[in-house]
């Protein structure tokens, strides 16, 4: 496990203050890390030690139990400094939320305790071989040795308690290959999305998808440093292979109760993506302003001594600032909506319609629409402002020595995560038909 002594954060103000302090430190080396593709091992240890990675742990397990809006603000602050570091714990927070929603008390106690001590969780979710990103071929099946032992023991003891104990004690095997596993190179635990392969119905598990929480150093796990994207170069988002990796029942969490109900699970995950994009936009705007103030020359027709006094440049910065402010403002609104969706009274009122959509547009649906709105504006601002650096900075801003391209490369790469064109669809259906968004974890 990550060897750090993690601090305990107890309030939102403390979390924001620490995030701001760390962001200043991380910003100093962000450009060079990107240029050299130096992985931020030390920086992530600092992040773990700060206590920020445990801020969502419920109070009953010793955590601060801070709401999604605070997590989003922490992520936005970090992303303005280095969006690579900000993206690494995205899945960490998402899978802690899965444990909160669908884990047993024993599982929550175990993994929340590890996180309070500084452990990091990374995802092993996406695949390449299916028709769409939603197709999962990584399988979870009963371990053959366990199956044989069950068959032998069943001859001696077939009581209900004995059968239940055997099911709980069964071992399973995870087989498959995952890609785009953000944070895997820095992880203590991998959250592996699997599909149960149990055609005979002998596993004791309900059919469906399960997340297996697998130690990163478990035999059969191979983490490959092959991430070579044009942006977000230091997120450690490479390939992870699972060759007959053995897991216990206590390591498995069904996704169904979190994803197939209006729990706010997808809205929370998307909120953090929007926060990363909003942070990139803010960082790009500040870098553009600094460059124009200190390095750019004015266009001769402006008849001014400084580029920052060119009225057309001033106009453009006003436009860019509005785009960033709009992204940040809708992020705040979306954060409040997700907070409302996950509050205890909202959880108690959840219901699911037969067609796979949440019934009446309640807090969960409203949160998803609010987050979709924020995601659209953050996506737009990140890409626009990061490209406009060169527009306002002039020819010299394109010189490789300034390395201003990392803002656009990071924005373009991260915003590919899921298409905003489908966000517009869900928003439009809600407005025209009062139609809640689908329940699939990405809205």
């Amino acid at each position: 496990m990550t060897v750090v002594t993690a601090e305990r954060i107890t309030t939102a103000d403390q979390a924001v203050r620490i995030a701001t302090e760390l962001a200043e430190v991380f910003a100093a080396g962000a450009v060079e890390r990107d240029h050299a593709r130096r992985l931020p091992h030390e920086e992530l240890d600092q992040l773990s030690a700060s206590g920020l990675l445990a801020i969502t742990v419920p109070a009953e397990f010793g955590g601060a139990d801070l709401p999604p809006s605070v997590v989003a603000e922490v992520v936005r602050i970090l992303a303005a400094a280095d969006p690579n570091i900000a993206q690494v714990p995205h899945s960490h927070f998402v899978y802690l939320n899965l444990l909160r929603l669908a884990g047993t008390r024993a599982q929550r106690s175990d993994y929340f305790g590890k996180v309070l001590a500084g452990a990091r969780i990374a995802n092993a979710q996406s695949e390449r071989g299916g028709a769409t990103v939603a197709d999962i071929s990584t399988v979870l099946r009963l371990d053959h040795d366990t199956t044989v032992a069950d068959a032998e023991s069943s001859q001696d003891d077939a009581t209900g308690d004995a059968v239940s104990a055997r099911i709980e004690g069964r071992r399973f095997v995870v087989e498959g290959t995952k890609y785009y596993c953000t944070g895997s190179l820095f992880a203590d635990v991998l959250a592996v999305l699997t599909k149960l392969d149990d055609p005979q119905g002998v596993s004791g598990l309900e059919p469906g998808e399960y997340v297996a929480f697998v130690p990163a150093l478990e035999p059969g796990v191979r983490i490959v440093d092959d991430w070579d994207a044009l942006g977000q170069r230091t997120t450690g988002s490479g390939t992870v292979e699972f060759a007959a990796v053995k897991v216990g029942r206590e390591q498995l969490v069904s996704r169904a109760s979190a994803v197939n109900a209006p729990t706010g699970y997808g809205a929370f995950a998307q909120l953090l993506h929007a926060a990363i994009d909003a942070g990139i936009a803010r960082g790009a705007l500040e870098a553009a302003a600094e460059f124009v103030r200190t390095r750019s020359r004015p266009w001769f027709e402006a008849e001014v001594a400084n580029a920052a006094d060119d009225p057309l440049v001033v106009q453009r910065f006003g436009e860019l600032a509005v785009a960033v402010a709009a992204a940040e403002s809708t992020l705040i609104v979306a954060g409040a909506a997700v907070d409302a969706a996950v509050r205890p009274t909202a959880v108690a009122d959840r219901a699911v319609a037969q067609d796979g959509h949440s019934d009446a547009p309640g807090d969960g649906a409203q949160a998803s629409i609010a987050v979709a709105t924020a995601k659209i504006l953050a996506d737009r601002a990140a890409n626009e402002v990061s490209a406009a650096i060169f527009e306002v900075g002039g020819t010299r801003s394109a010189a490789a020595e300034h390395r201003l391209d990392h803002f656009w490369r990071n924005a373009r790469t991260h915003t590919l995560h899921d298409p905003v064109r489908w966000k517009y669809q869900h928003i439009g259906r809600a407005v025209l038909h009062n139609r809640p968004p689908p329940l699939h974890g990405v809205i």
Side-chain angles (χ1 to χ4, degrees):
M1 194 176 83
T2 301
V3 182
V4 298
T5 301
E7 298 293 332
R8 291 291 178 93
I9 291 173
T10 58
T11 68
D13 287 345
Q14 185 184 9
V16 170
R17 176 179 57 79
I18 291 174
T20 303
E21 292 170 355
L22 283 177
E24 185 175 350
V25 175
F26 296 161
V31 174
E32 186 55 37
R33 282 193 298 274
D34 170 83
H35 179 68
R37 197 180 175 271
R38 182 178 70 77
L39 298 175
H41 290 283
E42 294 179 6
E43 290 78 8
L44 286 165
D45 283 348
Q46 287 180 274
L47 189 60
S48 292
S50 74
L52 284 174
L53 299 186
I55 59 176
T56 62
V57 171
E60 65 176 310
F61 295 97
D65 206 4
L66 297 183
S69 58
V70 176
V71 184
E73 178 61 6
V74 165
V75 170
R76 187 197 66 80
I77 291 168
L78 294 175
D82 186 341
N84 293 267
I85 291 175
Q87 189 181 352
V88 168
H90 174 276
S91 295
H92 172 93
F93 286 120
V94 170
Y95 285 107
L96 287 181
N97 193 35
L98 177 68
L99 286 163
R100 182 181 67 83
L101 291 168
T104 65
R105 183 170 183 82
Q107 288 172 328
R108 285 179 283 157
S109 179
D110 182 16
Y111 291 106
F112 290 157
K114 287 181 171 67
V115 167
L116 285 167
R120 295 190 288 263
I121 301 173
N123 87 85
Q125 178 166 314
S126 291
E127 299 182 7
R128 289 178 177 171
T132 74
V133 71
D135 293 324
I136 301 299
S137 62
T138 297
V139 297
L140 175 72
R141 61 170 67 98
L142 267 178
D143 179 19
H144 175 70
D145 295 337
T146 303
T147 305
V148 172
D150 279 352
E152 293 173 348
S153 65
S154 65
Q155 298 174 8
D156 302 322
D157 192 345
T159 65
D161 289 344
V163 171
S164 177
R166 283 201 301 274
I167 291 174
E168 284 302 310
R170 283 178 175 176
R171 303 290 292 174
F172 294 80
V173 170
V174 174
E175 288 267 9
T177 301
K178 298 290 188 176
Y179 302 91
Y180 318 121
C181 301
T182 297
S184 57
L185 291 175
F186 319 108
D188 301 291
V189 177
L190 300 169
V192 190
L193 181 58
T194 69
K195 187 173 183 178
L196 181 63
D197 179 17
D198 182 25
Q200 303 302 318
V202 296
S203 68
L205 300 179
E206 292 294 322
E209 294 179 344
Y210 288 80
V211 172
F213 287 83
V214 179
L217 298 179
E218 190 75 7
V221 175
R222 180 171 177 258
I223 301 174
V224 185
D225 182 13
D226 60 355
W227 175 242
D228 63 352
L230 63 89
Q232 294 297 90
R233 286 161 43 83
T234 63
T235 56
S237 300
T239 300
V240 182
E241 300 170 352
F242 299 90
V245 177
K246 295 188 177 184
V247 296
R249 176 66 183 88
E250 73 280 0
Q251 293 170 256
L252 305 177
V253 177
S254 171
R255 290 182 83 226
S257 61
V259 176
N260 297 337
T263 61
Y265 179 78
F268 175 65
Q270 288 290 298
L271 179 72
L272 301 190
H273 280 304
I276 294 169
D277 294 338
I280 293 173
R282 173 57 64 182
L285 181 65
E286 292 176 355
E290 177 65 15
F291 192 89
V292 168
R293 283 192 298 261
T294 60
R295 293 179 179 273
S296 294
R297 293 187 300 175
W299 184 244
F300 70 94
E301 291 177 287
E303 298 182 347
V304 294
N306 300 303
D309 295 322
D310 182 332
L312 299 183
V313 172
V314 171
Q315 170 75 19
R316 187 66 177 123
F317 267 98
E319 295 167 353
L320 297 175
V322 168
V324 175
E328 292 173 340
S329 296
T330 52
L331 183 68
I332 292 171
V333 172
V338 180
D339 289 353
V342 303
R343 74 189 192 280
T345 53
V347 173
D349 292 339
R350 289 176 193 143
V352 182
Q354 294 300 313
D355 63 355
H357 289 73
S358 56
D359 51 352
D363 289 333
Q366 291 170 3
S368 288
I369 295 302
V371 172
T373 303
K375 184 71 162 57
I376 289 169
L377 290 179
D379 181 300
R380 182 186 302 166
N383 284 296
E384 180 184 8
V385 179
S386 61
I389 288 178
F390 307 102
E391 173 192 339
V392 297
T395 305
R396 65 179 57 185
S397 67
E401 65 179 294
H402 301 307
R403 298 175 184 167
L404 293 173
D405 59 306
H406 73 97
F407 291 103
W408 180 84
R409 288 187 289 102
N410 290 336
R412 184 62 281 174
T413 301
H414 182 258
T415 54
L416 294 174
H417 186 274
D418 52 281
V420 294
R421 58 185 177 272
W422 276 98
K423 311 298 183 190
Y424 284 109
Q425 285 288 312
H426 299 313
I427 294 169
R429 291 168 187 172
V431 172
L432 285 173
H433 306 299
N434 201 31
R435 176 78 167 167
L439 297 170
H440 55 46
V442 195
I443 180 67

